[in-house]
Amino acid sequence: GVAEAADQLGLPVHRFPWSDAAHRAGVQRDASYLVRPDGYVALALGPTDSSDELTRFVELRHLDVSEPHAPSS
């Protein structure tokens, strides 16, 4: 699934319980979201989308998903 693909890519996974507030905010139930550090949703995957789409998205864009490094002094 998507969580396993994210793990293989080194992406952190955060799971949240479904709620009425999530529904009101426009979040799709059982969906997966790749969120950039600035809070922008880079990719939204519905519950029937393939985990291959996440892998393809990251690989095609050559995204560096490693931990951010502290600036050198």
Side-chain angles (χ1 to χ4, degrees):
V2 174
E4 292 80 12
D7 188 52
Q8 288 178 354
L9 292 165
L11 293 168
V13 175
H14 304 280
R15 296 174 191 250
F16 300 95
W18 182 249
S19 67
D20 289 335
H23 176 72
R24 287 191 302 274
V27 174
Q28 183 180 359
R29 187 180 200 123
D30 298 325
S32 300
Y33 298 90
L34 178 61
V35 182
R36 297 182 345 186
D38 62 3
Y40 178 81
V41 175
L43 177 67
L45 296 173
T48 60
D49 289 328
S50 168
S51 60
D52 292 340
E53 292 184 51
L54 173 62
T55 302
R56 193 168 30 257
F57 183 89
V58 170
E59 289 176 350
L60 286 174
R61 288 161 181 81
H62 306 285
L63 298 181
D64 178 4
V65 295
S66 61
E67 290 291 321
H69 301 284
S72 56
S73 26

